[in-house]
Each structure stands twice: as structure tokens, then as C-alpha cells.
Amino acid sequence: MLHGYLPAILTGLQTTLAVAAVSLAIACGFGLAGALAKLSENVVARGVADTYTTLIRGLPDLVLMLLVFYGGQIALNALIDRMGWDYIEVSPFAAGTATLGFIFGAYLTETFRGAILAVPRGQIEAAYAFGLRRIDVVRRIMVPQMVLHALPGFTNNWLVMVKATALVSIIGLDDMVHRASLASAATNLPFTFYAAIAAIYLAITTVSLLALKLLERRFSLGVRRSEL
Amino acid sequence: MIDWALVARTLPEYWVGLRVSLLLLFVSCATAFLVSIPLAMARVSRHAWLSWPVWAFTYVVRGTPLLVQLFMVYFGLAQFEVVRESAAWPMLRSAWFCAWLTFAINSTAYTTEIFAGALKNTPNGELEAARSLGLSATQVYRRILWPGALRRALPQYGNEVVMMMHATAIASTVTLVELTRVARDVYYNYLAPVEAFGVVATFYFALTYAMVGAFKLVEKRYLRHLAPRETGPAAGRPT
């Protein structure tokens, strides 16, 4: 199938999925921290979080990625020179996942912020009244209840992010897009290969949307819907 | 740390790139807007043979990366002999035409969904009132549905245009010398990442918030009826 290039494309798919998964984990970290900072009473934390989301949403993903990949290398070199360490090279994988995670962390900040606000205030107050520590309030009371509210926005960001991983091919990652371009150069069938990977991206989208449906059903077990 | 002389020397190139970026954005969004109007009407139609193909189109386009779509058009079309021998081939070979075509198709998919959603959100009472007054289907669309739907769609549509502006950076991969390509060329010529990508980031940042501000003004003008009142409900009560 695909003139024998299917295994090569599927290896590229592994890279694409790995980039997406690692970026998502990083983005969740940034997103949760950003949301908590935005809702905190600390002025500095709020200022940092506001600057973060404003800045990220004002720039194209590709430009940020190029800035982090090339600029990060220079900054790292300067740091290494000063510290007298050995040369470290920024791998495209690290730069790609760090940038994507950083970018989508800003979008998730907004998603998570809204979801946290949707958790009834009394729940949090009750938890504190029971003497739970701050971290336990977040982990055991807030997160389980905000998941349902965060799911649609979360899935949407995930879908946008999976598509954004196509950009890592530009900074030299051997992902699905890169594999497809190699295969089309070798066979002179660019349309076939790009259409094939487009179909794979579409399959990822479809599976994600189905998973969202299942998760929504799982997390709204305790929610009573008004029947019209 | 920043080589300002280099920034000053390369600045004219960015202006040229900015013009290309904005022109690409404008022609793509204008095309998408015009095509989305009939497509959104088909999308909300009761007839499955009208709504289903539009749904399939937006689902496929929205489910695949823009970069891959651009490569399919720019590199992919040459694969077919029919295309290579057609009269349109000189046009289809140009990066400009391919970028416009791809971006217009991509934006059409998103804009159609935004418009269709806004049409569906029309309060039923407006529709009933219009029909009871004996307005024809065309009149209902022209006088009742679209004026309200386009207003409701405004915040999301503004978002889509800003997203498209960011997406034009992807055109730098097909030899089109827009803002990001200028920055990448400056980087390759001088190996100065901060001067190259930092400057272009400033351009995009200013552009984003200028556009956000412009859309806020338009919203203020057309969504005035939804703005919070200055006085509360009890303000008129005698004290």
C-alpha cells in the first residue's frame, strides 16, 4: 500500500502522536498553573498569567516555534558559556513539544479558569471548613468537578494542537508531514501522500470526538439534566 | 545584546512582507465570507441533500492541518496530468494562487460553521413573526435571519479573522515572501534569531491587537443593543 511507504508514514505517525501527547501534558501543567494564578489574590501572579495569555494569543504558533527553537539555542549557548558546561544541543523534539505545550497552555488557562469558576463556591468553602489543605482542595474537590466543564474546551484545544503538530516538520522533526514529503519526493506522487496523511489526521479528529462523547457521559453521571 | 543596526537595516523588507501578509489575509477572508453565506444557508437547510455535503466539507477541512492542505494544493496538484496540461496550470503553479485558494477554502469551512451556528440561534419568535407577516423565504433571510445572525456571529468571526492572520505565517513554507518568510530569510542570512523572529513577533503582536481593537469597535457599533445599561432597573424609580 502507498507504494511501500505505509510503514514509514506510520513511524511518522508515532512521532506526531508522541509530540502531541508530550505537548498536551506540558500544556495541562501550564494551563492549570495559569488558571490558578489568574484566580489567585496575588497581584504578581495575576499579572504574570495575564501577560502570558495576552502574549501567546497575539502570535502565530509558527513564529513562536521558530523563536524558541533558534532563539532558545542561542540563549542556552550563552548560559553554557557563562557556566562553563559542555555543549548542549536543543533537540527539535524538545523545542517542538516545549513550544506547543507553552502555546496551548495559554489557551488551556482560559478553559481551566472558566471550569474552575463553574465549580460552586460553597464546595470549596466546605472543603476548607473541613480543614483540607490547599493542595487537597485542588486535587480532591476542584479538579474532579471542573473536568466536566473543561471537557469541551479541552477537546477543542487538543484538536487544534494535533493539527499544529504538523508545524514541527518545519523545525526538522521527522513527523508524519516530513515522512510524506520524503515519500512524495521519491515517488513523484505528492498528492497521494499528503492526502493519505490528511486522512490520518481526520481519523485522529474523529476518534477524539468520539472519546469526548464517552468521557462526557462518564463525568456527567452525577448531573441531572432537565428533560424538555 | 540586540543588534539594532541590523533591525533598522532589515526593517524595509518587513514592510514589504507585511503588505503581502495583509493582502493574502484580505483576499482569503473576503472570498471565504462570500462563499460562506450560501454554504451556511445550505448547512442549516432541512433537506439532507443540501446540508449533508456542506457538513462533510467543513468536517474534513476542519479536521486536517492547514499546512497539509497547502502542500496538497501547491505540491500535490502537479501530480495530475490533466492539471498540468490545463489552461489554468500557469496560475495553479504560482504560490500566490495556491495560498489564496487553500486559505480561502480553509477559512470558508470555519466561517460557514460560525454563520450556520448564528443562523440556528435565531429566536424562533422572530421567525414566526416574519412568517406571520407574510414575508417570502428570501425576504426572511435578507431582512430577519442574516441581519441578526451576522451580528451574533461578530465576536466569533473576529476571532476567525485573527486566527487566519496568524495562519498566513504558514504561507512562508511555499516560497511566498510574507512576514514570516522575511524573518526566516533574515535569520538564514545573519543567523540572528532574536533580531529576526523577535521583530516579526512584534509585527504580529501589534497586528493582532489592532485587529482585536477594530473588531471591538465594530461590535460596539452593531451589538449596541446588547451592551450593559448604564443605569440599573431601579434607576427610574422615584426616591
Side-chain angles (χ1 to χ4, degrees):
Chain A
M1 218 175 133
L2 287 176
H3 301 265
Y5 280 94
L6 186 64
I9 300 268
L10 289 180
T11 316
L13 173 63
Q14 274 177 16
T15 311
T16 295
L17 289 177
V19 170
V22 174
S23 308
L24 184 71
I26 298 172
C28 282
F30 275 112
L32 204 54
L36 290 174
K38 276 204 169 191
L39 294 171
S40 88
E41 277 150 28
N42 188 328
V43 184
V44 180
R46 272 208 314 262
V48 171
D50 281 337
T51 316
Y52 168 49
T53 53
T54 311
L55 204 63
I56 296 293
R57 288 188 300 172
L59 299 175
D61 311 348
L62 178 58
V63 171
L64 263 169
M65 206 176 280
L66 294 169
L67 189 63
V68 171
F69 183 56
Y70 295 115
Q73 181 72 68
I74 298 245
L76 197 64
N77 286 353
L79 184 75
I80 287 165
D81 265 1
R82 190 163 297 175
M83 300 299 206
W85 294 335
D86 274 342
Y87 181 74
I88 307 172
E89 199 178 303
V90 177
S91 76
F93 188 88
T97 50
T99 322
L100 283 174
F102 190 62
I103 294 170
F104 285 91
Y107 292 97
L108 281 182
T109 295
E110 300 299 340
T111 306
F112 289 162
R113 195 183 76 97
I116 290 173
L117 287 176
V119 176
R121 179 102 201 106
Q123 295 270 344
I124 311 283
E125 280 167 7
Y128 279 120
F130 271 108
L132 262 67
R133 283 175 306 154
R134 197 184 180 73
I135 180 82
D136 285 328
V137 175
V138 170
R139 202 165 57 89
R140 307 188 58 162
I141 309 295
M142 212 173 67
V143 171
Q145 294 190 73
M146 66 177 264
V147 169
L148 176 64
H149 299 286
L151 264 181
F154 182 81
T155 313
N156 200 32
N157 278 314
W158 157 254
L159 293 177
V160 178
M161 206 185 70
V162 169
K163 289 183 282 164
T165 60
L167 297 177
V168 295
S169 60
I170 297 173
I171 58 167
L173 227 81
D174 192 21
D175 76 327
M176 208 156 54
V177 178
H178 186 241
R179 289 291 169 107
S181 73
L182 290 180
S184 35
T187 56
N188 244 333
L189 296 170
F191 193 87
T192 311
F193 284 102
Y194 289 125
I197 62 166
I200 297 177
Y201 279 110
L202 195 61
I204 299 175
T205 305
T206 308
V207 171
S208 306
L209 288 173
L210 290 176
L212 168 73
K213 279 241 168 72
L214 289 178
L215 279 176
E216 249 180 351
R217 202 177 297 163
R218 169 79 183 75
F219 279 99
S220 43
L221 277 178
V223 181
R224 209 162 71 197
R225 299 231 176 264
S226 41
E227 307 264 339
L228 291 174
Chain B
M1 193 177 157
I2 294 174
D3 184 356
W4 291 105
L6 176 63
V7 172
R9 199 164 63 240
T10 51
L11 211 52
E13 293 171 44
Y14 287 104
W15 287 115
V16 178
L18 176 67
R19 285 229 307 269
V20 174
S21 287
L22 286 180
L23 188 61
L24 179 61
L25 175 69
F26 180 76
V27 292
S28 305
C29 284
T31 315
F33 184 92
L34 293 177
V35 180
S36 295
I37 299 257
L39 284 189
M41 281 156 70
R43 176 81 171 82
V44 297
S45 162
R46 264 172 296 146
H47 306 289
W49 59 273
L50 267 174
S51 64
W52 194 82
V54 179
W55 173 82
F57 161 72
T58 65
Y59 187 73
V60 169
V61 172
R62 292 185 309 146
T64 48
L66 178 59
L67 181 72
V68 176
Q69 292 165 4
L70 184 60
F71 284 0
M72 273 171 84
V73 172
Y74 183 69
F75 298 117
L77 286 183
Q79 180 178 328
F80 304 105
E81 217 178 311
V82 204
V83 179
R84 280 201 311 269
E85 278 164 13
S86 77
W89 180 233
M91 206 161 62
L92 287 172
R93 260 169 67 184
S94 92
W96 243 113
F97 182 82
C98 290
W100 168 69
L101 183 68
T102 314
F103 286 26
I105 290 175
N106 187 275
S107 184
T108 298
Y110 288 93
T111 310
T112 299
E113 286 300 321
I114 293 172
F115 286 176
L119 282 175
K120 270 188 221 151
N121 277 336
T122 304
N124 203 32
E126 286 184 22
L127 212 57
E128 278 172 4
R131 288 195 181 128
S132 70
L133 287 173
L135 266 63
S136 70
T138 327
Q139 279 174 321
V140 170
Y141 259 111
R142 210 168 64 84
R143 305 210 170 224
I144 310 295
L145 287 172
W146 278 119
L150 287 180
R151 279 182 170 81
R152 273 191 299 279
L154 204 49
Q156 268 182 296
Y157 183 70
N159 215 10
E160 160 63 14
V161 173
V162 172
M163 293 294 235
M164 258 343 259
M165 190 270 283
H166 286 173
T168 57
I170 289 176
S172 66
T173 56
V174 291
T175 72
L176 204 72
V177 187
E178 43 65 77
L179 269 177
T180 306
R181 184 77 251 172
V182 171
R184 291 172 76 179
D185 289 345
V186 168
Y187 171 73
Y188 289 124
N189 290 335
Y190 303 98
L191 283 177
V194 179
E195 286 80 352
F197 301 121
V199 169
V200 82
T202 314
F203 269 94
Y204 280 115
F205 192 77
L207 220 50
T208 304
Y209 286 98
M211 284 168 65
V212 169
F215 271 105
K216 281 253 166 68
L217 284 181
V218 179
E219 276 174 38
K220 214 168 155 188
R221 165 88 177 70
Y222 286 102
L223 297 177
R224 203 162 24 186
H225 57 291
L226 297 179
R229 302 275 159 86
E230 269 173 41
T231 47
R237 204 182 293 160
T239 44

